[in-house]
Amino acid sequence: MTRALNFNAGPAALPEAVLQEAQKHLLNFNGTGMSVMELSHRSKDYDEVHNGARNQLRKLLTIPDDYEILFLQGGASLQFSMIPMNLLTEGKVAHYVLTGSWSEKALKEAKKHGTTSILASTKDENYRSIPSLRVEPFNKNDAYIHITSNNTIYGTEWKSYPDVSVPLIADMSSDILSKKLNVEQFGLIYAGAQKNLGPSGVTVVIMKKDLIQTPAENLPTMLSYETYSKNNSLYNTPPTLAIYLLKLVLDWVEREGGVEAMENRNNEKGKILYNVIDESNGFYSGHATHDSRSNMNVTFTLPSEEKTKEFLSLAKEKGFVGLNGHRSVGGCRASIYNAVPVDHVVQLAEFMKSFQRRL
Ligand SMILES: *Cc1c(COP(=O)(O)O)cnc(C)c1O
């Protein structure tokens, strides 16, 4: 059996080694005679999975002790609400930087809970770039600044993060663990797992402990960060299978050489595709401006709608999966997260070049 050339945006490719390991232990995890899905979430065997995932993430991203690592459900989308519900208290203002549809959705939810402002936006240019932020003197009423570190749909990515005195919050769903990161620049980082961390079903939150407050009385228990922090994310039944797979992916990252090795490989993969675009004399045209190009999602168009369609249909025939651009942008998108092998990216580059030559 050959594995697909998978360029899906999310859920996305998982490392083959991880799937094989999961398969091997599916019926008998750790000598229990049960699958990991059949264990009690209060058992010692599951405890090792749960704490193992947390500790491995702490190690890979050198997350300091004054940060909590929480496992939640509801995807990144629920964080759009939980963040303002917990942190945008009466009299405070939350600042949003709009760099794509996901930031727009985050803002939309925050507006339901309190006062917001748009600190910067590149909507006017169809989110081709990341804005430069004026670092203003913020004041004590500012709750936080929210950014989207990688814009999955438009294919743009922050290259460095603003140094601000207000807690910086980042939706890193599509580029967490793809490159080195200084966690201390952030108050809170969140990511749905299904792009770079594992399967869908678990959301990781890395949060500075001093931001975790006793919630307002009417805040549902399950929507308060304090609940997860006080109970090691075991207040209710966590998504045990997803957390197990997350741990396997994290262990794989470590075996591959850690986040630095991922970063080098991702730079290499990005360069392979962007070179094809840049050397195509305008046949392929990238959506993102050069300084904002994402190493995770490469977005491009062809000279006409017709050519784009032809390209996508031939690509499909050749076994490439998931190259259609998001419906809001059109064109093509190749998602090349950590688990996408260099070899698959090389094959796509060759296909792009031969498609252009053919015409
Ligand atoms: C995919 C994605 C989301 C949505 O994630 P869900 O887990 O489906 O809620 C949010 N933000 C970014 C940047 C994404 O890539």
Side-chain angles (χ1 to χ4, degrees):
M1 193 226 117
T2 51
R3 296 265 299 151
L5 297 161
N6 185 354
F7 294 91
N8 276 329
L14 285 165
E16 191 174 326
V18 164
L19 296 173
Q20 275 167 355
E21 194 172 342
Q23 182 186 46
K24 192 167 135 205
H25 301 285
L26 190 66
L27 295 182
N28 183 8
F29 176 73
N30 219 11
T32 56
M34 294 176 270
S35 120
V36 73
M37 289 176 272
E38 299 170 290
L39 301 176
S40 163
H41 60 292
R42 311 276 175 212
S43 67
K44 189 173 155 292
D45 288 292
Y46 178 71
D47 237 29
E48 280 172 23
V49 170
H50 193 89
N51 297 332
R54 198 195 53 217
N55 296 342
Q56 185 61 282
L57 187 63
R58 194 177 289 285
K59 195 166 136 196
L60 286 170
L61 287 176
T62 38
I63 301 171
D65 286 340
D66 55 340
Y67 284 76
E68 285 283 11
I69 300 170
L70 311 173
F71 299 137
L72 298 94
Q73 299 186 58
S77 300
L78 185 61
Q79 294 312 302
F80 298 164
S81 302
M82 272 182 75
I83 289 161
M85 286 172 110
N86 283 268
L87 302 176
L88 182 49
T89 45
E90 188 78 37
K92 293 226 173 186
V93 185
H95 303 279
Y96 282 74
V97 180
L98 300 188
T99 52
S101 327
W102 296 117
S103 358
E104 285 182 19
K105 285 187 174 162
L107 172 64
K108 178 179 166 213
E109 296 309 311
K111 279 183 174 167
K112 297 177 186 174
H113 299 286
T115 312
T116 58
S117 90
I118 296 173
L119 202 57
S121 168
T122 50
K123 192 181 173 78
D124 285 351
E125 39 154 273
N126 200 15
Y127 294 127
R128 265 170 216 287
S129 69
I130 300 294
S132 48
L133 272 198
R134 290 162 289 135
V135 179
E136 304 182 9
F138 292 98
N139 72 53
K140 64 179 190 333
N141 292 336
D142 297 318
Y144 58 82
I145 298 171
H146 181 282
I147 65 169
T148 312
S149 63
N150 183 75
N151 298 280
T152 326
I153 293 173
Y154 297 89
T156 62
E157 188 172 11
W158 290 72
K159 300 297 167 189
S160 64
Y161 300 110
D163 225 338
V164 286
S165 51
V166 179
L168 185 62
I169 294 185
D171 175 358
M172 291 198 185
S173 293
S174 52
D175 71 346
I176 191 168
L177 225 59
S178 72
K179 57 184 178 185
K180 287 187 296 298
L181 182 66
N182 177 11
V183 171
E184 281 172 288
Q185 275 186 283
F186 297 89
L188 189 156
I189 292 167
Y190 65 100
Q194 67 272 22
K195 279 125 189 175
N196 238 347
L197 292 177
S200 61
V202 61
T203 306
V204 171
V205 169
I206 302 165
M207 183 173 188
K208 195 143 197 227
K209 283 180 180 161
D210 63 14
L211 284 178
I212 301 172
Q213 305 143 4
T214 305
E217 229 166 85
N218 60 356
L219 186 67
T221 308
M222 286 297 290
L223 296 181
S224 156
Y225 290 118
E226 194 189 46
T227 303
Y228 296 83
S229 155
K230 275 191 169 163
N231 297 283
N232 187 23
S233 306
L234 284 160
Y235 174 79
N236 78 324
T237 318
T240 53
L241 178 66
I243 292 171
Y244 166 67
L245 288 163
L246 165 66
K247 178 176 186 294
L248 295 187
V249 170
L250 296 173
D251 291 347
W252 172 82
V253 171
E254 186 182 44
R255 285 200 306 279
E256 293 290 303
V259 173
E260 198 171 336
M262 290 297 127
E263 178 166 3
N264 292 336
R265 196 183 291 172
N266 291 328
N267 283 334
E268 183 189 346
K269 290 188 303 189
K271 207 175 272 171
I272 291 169
L273 293 185
Y274 286 120
N275 278 348
V276 174
I277 291 171
D278 290 341
E279 288 161 12
S280 72
N281 286 320
F283 183 76
Y284 295 109
S285 111
H287 180 74
T289 59
H290 283 239
D291 58 351
S292 299
R293 283 174 160 178
S294 163
N295 263 350
M296 298 282 96
N297 311 96
V298 178
T299 47
F300 59 93
T301 52
L302 283 81
S304 66
E305 283 278 323
E306 215 176 23
K307 284 266 181 306
T308 303
K309 265 194 197 147
E310 210 183 310
F311 174 85
L312 288 170
S313 107
L314 191 61
K316 198 173 165 190
E317 247 175 66
K318 301 269 179 197
F320 294 97
V321 176
L323 289 177
N324 290 63
H326 188 272
R327 57 192 184 279
S328 59
V329 195
C332 310
R333 168 175 58 176
S335 298
I336 48 174
Y337 302 119
N338 285 353
V340 175
V342 177
D343 166 54
H344 289 193
V345 176
V346 170
Q347 289 187 56
L348 176 59
E350 289 308 318
F351 171 72
M352 287 170 72
K353 284 191 268 187
S354 77
F355 184 81
Q356 184 181 3
R357 271 198 305 269
R358 206 177 73 109
L359 298 165

